[in-house]
Amino acid sequence: MTSPKITLDQWAALQQVVETGSYANAAERLHKSQSTLSYAIQQVERLSGVQVFTLQGRRAMLTQAGEVLYRQGKKLVEEARRVEQLAGDLAHGWESQIVLAVEIVFPTWLLLQCLAQFAKERPQTRIELIESVLGGTDEALLESRVDFAIGPSIPQGFLGDRLMQVRYVAAAHPDHPLHRQGRALTADDLQRHRHLVVRETAARRSSKLSISADERWTVSNKATAIRAACMGLGFAWFPEENIRDELRSGLLKVLPLQEGAVRYGNLYLIFADPEAVRPGARRLAAIIQGAVKQFCPAHASVEAESADRSL
């Protein structure tokens, strides 16, 4: 395999001349002489066999082929910078991948916002997200499959910080028969209708449901449960933050329960090994903690009692 004939410095010179609009501006930005940049462009043309610029009056304009070379050369320069940044990150202990388990009751919109912010800072770091339910979160920590987790409890032998309070509401589609009773609902009323439940992700399931409904649909994704409820196919206790759009749009409506209409639970942030947390995992965890305080201040500041987290 032969080495590239055109150097990264020469591609960078082309990029700056194009983007600054002149050799003088590019020379100032790159701290090089105009003659050095002129020679670099000549080398690009000679080695590629392509005329990059053409004169139009007093202005040098990119040719059609030059436009192609400029775009591809820019990609090479940017990729080289990313590789150098990655090498520097690795040298300073930044990991190339972060694995985290997040209980599905954590607001999806907020989690994605946090991941997007982290990606802007560290685009080369891969993220593996395990969307877990109840015992599945503990299991991921106990089996050392994650760098950190967000879950409803702290497994024995681990330490964690309370992250936020989760408010659960019983909800169904406005046209669901439960909303047509015209009175406060009882547990007996709920037992006669289909209960939507998200399956626990642990290999050994330990959760118990508070309502023993005659009909039950168990699904493996919270989005499926929400969609089913919006279609009038059942009721569930949902984390309020996870269905806020559906409540606002009228696709779902809180059930008027005589007792237990609202429940509360906690979520904790737990590092798998607090003494060996790497910079990337620590930074992502800090972003999540900051986002909870900013966008869910009431949930972040109020102490709560433990609750049944079945959907």
Side-chain angles (χ1 to χ4, degrees):
M1 181 180 294
T2 59
S3 299
K5 297 177 182 179
I6 302 174
T7 67
L8 284 172
D9 280 344
Q10 290 164 347
W11 286 122
L14 173 61
Q15 177 187 350
Q16 292 303 318
V17 170
V18 172
E19 294 180 357
T20 62
S22 72
Y23 284 92
N25 292 336
E28 183 177 352
R29 178 175 291 185
L30 293 174
H31 305 290
K32 296 180 182 292
S33 67
Q34 293 187 47
S35 60
T36 299
L37 295 186
S38 178
Y39 178 75
I41 301 302
Q42 291 172 12
Q43 288 295 94
V44 171
E45 291 183 322
R46 183 180 69 81
L47 295 171
S48 67
V50 171
Q51 182 181 357
V52 176
F53 291 105
T54 183
L55 286 175
Q56 293 184 6
R58 290 188 174 184
R59 296 192 62 187
M61 305 294 293
L62 277 174
T63 63
Q64 188 172 7
E67 178 69 31
V68 174
L69 287 186
Y70 157 68
R71 290 199 305 269
Q72 296 303 316
K74 181 178 180 180
K75 290 180 181 179
L76 285 174
V77 173
E78 291 176 347
E79 182 61 28
R81 290 188 183 122
R82 282 194 291 268
V83 171
E84 288 183 359
Q85 181 183 353
L86 176 61
D89 289 345
L90 293 173
H92 289 86
W94 284 81
E95 58 271 45
S96 60
Q97 176 172 287
I98 299 171
V99 183
L100 66 155
V102 179
E103 175 79 19
I104 62 165
V105 301
F106 187 83
T108 302
W109 62 270
L110 185 60
L111 176 62
L112 294 177
Q113 211 167 277
C114 294
L115 294 179
Q117 180 180 339
F118 181 82
K120 288 181 180 179
E121 298 179 13
R122 299 287 169 179
Q124 299 303 311
T125 302
R126 298 190 303 274
I127 299 292
E128 182 177 341
L129 171 64
I130 299 172
E131 296 176 281
S132 51
V133 182
L134 294 170
T137 310
D138 290 358
E139 191 173 83
L141 284 167
L142 292 166
E143 295 178 357
S144 301
R145 290 191 281 119
V146 296
D147 295 292
F148 70 93
I150 296 174
S153 61
I154 302 174
Q156 187 173 1
F158 289 82
L159 297 174
D161 294 319
R162 182 181 177 277
L163 179 63
M164 68 181 295
Q165 177 191 67
V166 180
R167 187 174 190 264
Y168 299 83
V169 294
H173 188 275
D175 293 333
H176 191 281
L178 284 170
H179 279 300
R180 299 175 186 170
Q181 301 298 316
R183 56 176 173 78
L185 303 174
T186 65
D188 288 340
D189 293 319
L190 298 183
Q191 288 176 357
R192 300 188 185 98
H193 295 273
R194 186 179 296 118
H195 185 195
L196 303 172
V197 180
V198 177
R199 180 182 294 109
E200 185 174 353
T201 53
R204 295 182 179 179
R205 298 171 192 161
S206 58
S207 60
K208 295 181 180 180
L209 300 176
S210 58
I211 293 293
S212 179
D214 294 337
E215 293 185 56
R216 181 186 307 146
W217 283 5
T218 302
V219 299
S220 58
N221 190 290
K222 69 178 178 184
T224 305
I226 293 172
R227 180 61 179 166
C230 289
M231 293 174 64
L233 300 176
F235 75 92
W237 274 273
F238 293 107
E240 191 173 36
E241 282 291 337
N242 284 341
I243 59 168
R244 62 178 190 172
D245 291 338
E246 287 78 8
L247 291 173
R248 289 171 183 168
S249 66
L251 283 172
L252 290 177
K253 182 179 178 182
V254 176
L255 290 169
L257 298 189
Q258 190 172 31
E259 295 177 340
V262 177
R263 301 175 177 178
Y264 294 94
N266 287 324
L267 284 178
Y268 300 88
L269 194 149
I270 311 127
F271 287 109
D273 185 352
E275 295 182 357
V277 183
R278 293 175 293 178
R282 190 173 296 281
R283 174 57 185 152
L284 179 54
I287 288 174
I288 293 172
Q289 289 169 323
V292 168
K293 291 179 181 178
Q294 180 180 356
F295 297 104
C296 306
H299 298 294
S301 60
V302 179
E303 291 297 330
E305 300 176 356
S306 62
D308 185 334
R309 276 161 289 274
S310 63
L311 298 187

